């Protein structure tokens, strides 16, 4: 009886657990499936939001970073779903297939977008006007408006000015961007302040950054421009007010290039964020399609298509992108294979570039040379950084680094270093203008170098002095050109004196009723040593701002 009862008891217990297992299998399995899907999905969503917040990846299928991020998140979901469900179901199989598709899309898309398949399209991304007239475009350039300060010198001047601002220097530092712009038709470099550290950000964030620095590239004067209301959006901000995060939160799908700091015509600070896309294949031919302008004070923002960007904006196309397109322009002129083998007609930009102000726009300037690197230029390219309008000047001569070495050699005892030159029209003579800096990156002297003959070089402690010396040397070397417009005059000499410069005898004189100082080389006339005050002369000369170089002189 007891034995039967025990057997019956065991049967009842087994039956109970069988029922529990049945209920668990039928009633709770759907919940287990939901859990195996919901938990990985939640983890992936959280990771995606963190990646977006930290990495600021554009949600765009032409973004390499977004594609790689998507593949990574898919693998995380597949792994968690498999661990929780215990099997490799259809969801995992589909997601793995999609991840492989993205890998293939990224790999094949990148290969297909290479220049080997689209050399002509790469070459045509940048257009240069080969009919551009250097003398016409540059005939109104005034040497009183030549920018003499480069970025390194601007940094030095800005730091020096900042050091004088006792209230600021303990709380803020100066951002070292110093972007070149045109402000009220004059070249300037501007840069914002930034918080010294996290603690200084925490104590000052309510008021924002109180000022920016503006450096006049002509006069070398720097000033701290104080704002009525501080800048709340900058590169040194944190969380939602960081300019990169502010842009990403408002434009999650746009791909941004290098952000630049500028000021409008009223001096109000803005951030210019170029928006790019790929124009060739899937991932090739990167180009700017528009820009987002962000008010640095309020954070107000607006997107503009590339042909609608306001005229006061100077830098929409990043310099590196323009140089890349210029390299492609010269490299693929006659196709991809030619760029590797015969290299017929292949050109390349010289090693370095500078900026030129024309018509209230900023142009990137660089020389073009052959791939043989023979230390000479075949021409020059100017590209508008707002519109990408390009000009080509068919002027051959010494490349920029030869001119820099020539200018440095002129003052080798002082051990000054030359800035990358600017191309100017010196009364019909294509010329390089350079600043000469000391070891502290402060500009001490100036130089003009002939493009056609870099041995013709003149220096001076001021731009006008360097200009005057340059005209004298040009006259001595017979380098006045047909492009130059000579002027004629006659009058009575009021005073005259002579001097010897670099072994050449020069005569300086003025005529009645004219404040201009006329300079004449002794080679112009044997009568020069005999001239004296009261003599009447006829002269043909090249006009300058304060002095003029004589081309001909005759005693009446």
């Amino acid at each position: 009886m007891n034995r039967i009862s025990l057997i019956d008891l065991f049967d009842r217990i087994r039956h109970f657990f069988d029922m529990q297992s049945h209920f668990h299998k039928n009633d709770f399995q759907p919940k287990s499936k939901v859990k195996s899907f919901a938990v990985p999905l939640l983890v992936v969503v959280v990771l995606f939001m963190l990646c977006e917040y930290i990495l600021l990846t554009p949600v765009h299928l032409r973004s390499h970073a977004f594609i790689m991020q998507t593949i990574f998140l898919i693998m995380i979901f597949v792994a968690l779903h498999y661990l929780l469900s215990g099997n490799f179901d259809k969801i995992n199989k589909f997601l793995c297939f999609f991840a492989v598709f993205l890998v293939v899309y990224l790999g094949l898309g990148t290969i297909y977008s290479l220049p080997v398949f689209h050399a002509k399209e790469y070459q045509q991304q940048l257009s240069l006007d080969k009919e551009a007239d250097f003398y016409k475009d540059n005939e109104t350039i005034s040497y009183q408006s030549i920018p003499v300060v480069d970025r390194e010198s601007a940094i030095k001047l800005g730091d020096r000015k900042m050091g004088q601002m006792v209230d600021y220097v303990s709380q803020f530092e100066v951002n070292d961007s110093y972007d070149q712009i045109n402000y009220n038709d004059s070249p300037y470099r501007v840069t914002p302040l930034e918080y010294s550290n996290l603690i200084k950000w925490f104590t000052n964030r309510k008021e924002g950054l109180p000022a920016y620095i503006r450096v006049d590239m002509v006069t070398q004067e720097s000033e701290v421009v104080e704002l009525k209301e501080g800048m709340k959006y900058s590169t040194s901000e944190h969380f939602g007010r960081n300019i990169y995060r502010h842009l990403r939160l408002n434009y999650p799908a746009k791909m941004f290039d290098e952000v630049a700091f500028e000021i409008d015509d009223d001096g109000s600070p803005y951030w210019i964020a170029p928006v790019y896309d790929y124009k060739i294949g899937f991932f090739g031919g990167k180009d700017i399609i528009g820009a987002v302008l962000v008010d640095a004070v309020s954070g107000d923002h607006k997107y503009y298509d590339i042909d609608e960007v306001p005229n006061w904006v100077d830098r929409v196309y990043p310099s590196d992108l323009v140089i890349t397109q210029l390299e492609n322009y010269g490299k693929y002129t006659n196709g991809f294979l030619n760029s590797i083998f015969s290299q017929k007609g292949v050109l390349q930009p010289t090693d370095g570039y500078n900026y030129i102000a024309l018509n209230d726009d900023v142009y990137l300037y660089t020389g073009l040379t052959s791939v043989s690197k023979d230390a000479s230029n075949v021409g020059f390219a100017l590209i508008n950084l707002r519109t990408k309008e390009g000009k080509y000047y068919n002027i051959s001569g010494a490349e920029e680094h030869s001119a820099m070495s020539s200018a440095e050699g002129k003052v080798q005892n002082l051990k000054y270093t030359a800035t990358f030159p600017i191309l100017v029209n010196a009364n019909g003579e294509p010329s390089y203008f350079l600043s000469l800096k000391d070891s502290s990156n402060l500009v001490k002297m100036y130089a003009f170098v002939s493009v056609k003959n870099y041995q013709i070089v003149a220096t001076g402690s001021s731009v006008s002095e360097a200009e005057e010396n340059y005209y004298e040397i040009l006259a001595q070397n017979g380098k006045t050109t047909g492009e130059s417009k000579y002027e004629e005059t006659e009058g009575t000499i009021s005073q005259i004196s002579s001097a010897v410069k670099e072994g050449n005898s020069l005569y300086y004189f003025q005529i009645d009723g004219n404040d201009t100082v006329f300079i004449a080389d002794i080679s112009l006339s044997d009568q020069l040593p005999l001239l004296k005050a009261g003599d009447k002369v006829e002269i043909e000369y090249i006009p300058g701002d304060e002095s003029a170089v004589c081309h001909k002189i005759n005693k009446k």
Side-chain angles (χ1 to χ4, degrees):
M1 180 68 179
N2 292 336
R3 185 176 181 181
I4 295 174
S5 298
L6 288 174
I7 293 173
D8 183 58
L9 178 61
F10 283 126
D11 287 340
R12 290 176 182 273
I13 293 172
R14 185 177 61 186
H15 179 69
F16 172 78
F17 280 107
D18 287 343
M19 291 296 293
Q20 292 297 318
S21 176
H22 176 75
F23 290 147
H24 178 75
K25 181 177 181 181
N26 290 279
D27 295 341
F28 297 100
Q29 190 173 9
K31 293 184 178 180
S32 178
K33 286 184 177 180
V34 170
K35 180 180 179 181
S36 68
F37 180 84
V39 171
L41 180 62
L42 179 62
V43 170
V44 167
V45 169
V46 172
L47 285 176
F48 172 77
M49 294 177 67
L50 285 174
C51 288
E52 285 299 303
Y53 190 81
I54 297 172
L55 301 179
L56 306 177
T57 309
V59 184
H60 200 297
L61 283 177
R62 284 191 170 183
S63 167
H64 287 71
F66 177 70
I67 294 172
M68 296 301 297
Q69 177 180 292
T70 302
I71 294 171
F72 170 75
L73 293 176
I74 288 174
M75 293 298 98
I76 293 293
F77 181 93
V78 168
L80 291 176
H81 183 58
Y82 175 75
L83 290 174
L84 293 175
S85 66
N87 63 85
F88 202 78
D89 59 12
K90 292 182 179 180
I91 294 176
N92 277 3
K93 290 178 181 178
F94 172 78
L95 290 176
C96 286
F97 172 80
F98 185 64
V100 172
F101 168 78
L102 289 178
V103 172
V104 174
Y105 164 70
L106 185 61
L108 293 182
T110 301
I111 293 173
Y112 174 70
S113 303
L114 292 174
V116 64
F117 301 109
H118 306 279
K120 184 177 180 180
E121 293 168 80
Y122 275 95
Q123 197 273 335
Q124 293 178 344
Q125 271 203 293
L126 181 67
S127 177
L128 298 182
D129 179 11
K130 293 187 176 182
E131 302 300 321
D133 188 331
F134 168 73
Y135 304 99
K136 181 179 180 180
D137 290 342
N138 295 275
E139 64 181 357
T140 58
I141 286 182
S142 169
Y143 292 127
Q144 302 303 318
S145 63
I146 290 181
V148 301
V149 176
D150 64 0
R151 180 173 169 273
E152 286 72 22
S153 298
I155 290 174
K156 198 71 176 180
L157 294 170
D159 288 345
R160 178 179 293 179
K161 189 66 177 181
M162 184 65 177
Q164 301 171 5
M165 308 297 291
V166 179
D167 294 338
Y168 290 163
V169 74
S170 63
Q171 302 295 313
F172 307 99
E173 295 178 349
V174 183
N175 187 289
D176 63 358
S177 58
Y178 283 92
D179 294 313
Q180 181 173 335
I181 65 168
N182 273 355
Y183 175 63
N184 292 334
D185 295 329
S186 296
Y188 281 82
R189 285 189 177 269
V190 293
T191 192
L193 301 186
E194 58 184 17
Y195 301 103
S196 298
N197 52 49
L198 187 61
I199 296 176
K200 302 299 173 58
W201 166 79
F202 187 78
T203 57
N204 291 283
R205 67 180 301 274
K206 185 177 180 180
E207 293 77 20
L209 297 171
Y212 61 85
I213 288 183
R214 189 166 63 199
V215 179
D216 190 319
M217 297 180 66
V218 178
T219 65
Q220 302 188 58
E221 295 178 357
S222 60
E223 57 181 322
V224 176
V225 181
E226 298 186 78
L227 301 167
K228 293 181 179 178
E229 185 179 350
M231 292 182 283
K232 307 297 194 306
Y233 296 83
S234 69
T235 56
S236 64
E237 280 285 354
H238 298 276
F239 306 113
R241 282 179 16 185
N242 178 278
I243 185 60
Y244 301 109
R245 189 164 290 113
H246 183 63
L247 286 165
R248 180 57 60 223
L249 291 174
N250 286 282
Y251 301 91
K254 292 193 181 299
M255 296 185 288
F256 292 105
D257 210 300
E258 179 184 354
V259 176
F261 179 79
E262 288 197 34
I263 57 176
D264 65 10
D265 294 335
D266 298 322
S268 301
Y270 278 82
W271 293 98
I272 314 300
V275 178
Y276 71 88
D277 201 354
Y278 295 105
K279 298 292 188 178
I280 301 174
F282 295 97
F283 304 106
K286 178 180 175 182
D287 209 354
I288 304 301
I289 60 173
V292 175
L293 275 60
V294 182
D295 188 316
V297 175
S298 66
D300 293 342
H301 51 84
K302 184 177 181 180
Y303 171 77
Y304 295 88
D305 287 330
I306 191 62
D307 56 349
E308 297 176 348
V309 174
N311 290 338
W312 64 262
V313 176
D314 292 314
R315 303 174 69 92
V316 179
Y317 287 87
S319 301
D320 291 343
L321 176 62
V322 169
I323 289 295
T324 297
Q325 293 190 357
L326 184 60
E327 289 173 346
N328 293 335
Y329 174 88
K331 182 186 297 184
Y332 302 123
T333 301
N334 294 308
F336 182 81
L337 294 179
N338 177 75
S339 70
I340 298 176
F341 298 107
S342 64
Q343 297 185 325
K344 181 180 179 181
V346 173
L347 301 175
Q348 63 182 8
T350 50
D351 184 19
Y353 56 85
N354 210 328
Y355 304 102
I356 296 177
L358 288 175
N359 303 320
D360 201 28
D361 276 324
V362 173
Y363 283 76
L364 181 143
Y365 141 81
T366 188
L368 290 173
T369 184
S370 65
V371 292
S372 61
K373 296 183 178 180
D374 56 0
S376 64
N377 286 345
V378 298
F380 297 91
L382 269 73
I383 298 119
N384 189 312
L385 294 182
R386 178 174 61 87
T387 65
K388 210 176 70 171
E389 172 196 2
K391 299 174 182 287
Y392 175 79
Y393 296 141
N394 186 22
I395 301 171
S396 60
E399 58 95 30
E400 294 90 338
H401 288 279
S402 297
M404 293 167 68
S405 297
S406 182
E408 290 170 351
K410 192 76 171 177
V411 292
Q412 57 183 336
N413 58 310
L414 300 174
K415 297 182 179 179
Y416 291 162
T417 57
T419 60
F420 195 84
I422 297 172
L423 182 66
V424 298
N425 176 7
N427 280 327
E429 182 72 15
S431 306
Y432 292 120
F433 172 80
L434 314 89
S435 298
L436 295 164
K437 305 184 297 182
D438 62 12
S439 58
S440 299
N441 277 324
L442 294 176
V443 176
K444 296 297 184 181
M445 296 185 70
Y446 310 91
F448 286 90
V449 182
S450 172
V451 170
K452 297 179 181 178
N453 182 359
Y454 66 91
Q455 299 297 331
I456 299 177
V457 55
T459 61
S461 57
S462 66
V463 176
S464 59
E465 181 183 347
E467 174 192 357
E468 179 181 319
N469 295 338
Y470 185 58
Y471 287 150
E472 291 177 11
I473 297 175
L474 283 176
Q476 294 165 17
N477 288 269
K479 286 294 180 178
T480 53
T481 70
E483 299 290 345
S484 177
K485 295 181 179 180
Y486 298 120
E487 293 185 9
E488 297 179 354
T489 190
E490 61 180 44
T492 302
I493 296 177
S494 59
Q495 55 181 327
I496 185 170
S497 61
S498 63
V500 177
K501 282 193 174 182
E502 300 181 356
N504 297 302
S505 296
L506 301 174
Y507 287 83
Y508 299 80
F509 63 92
Q510 288 182 302
I511 59 178
D512 290 335
N514 195 328
D515 294 332
T516 302
V517 176
F518 295 95
I519 306 166
D521 188 88
I522 192 171
S523 61
L524 292 180
S525 173
D526 293 334
Q527 297 176 333
L528 276 170
L530 305 176
L531 291 177
K532 59 185 182 298
D535 289 341
K536 293 184 178 180
V537 291
E538 292 178 336
I539 53 177
E540 186 177 283
Y541 63 96
I542 302 172
D545 291 331
E546 298 177 355
S547 61
V549 176
C550 294
H551 180 61
K552 292 180 181 179
I553 182 168
N554 295 309
K555 183 179 179 180
K556 292 187 68 175

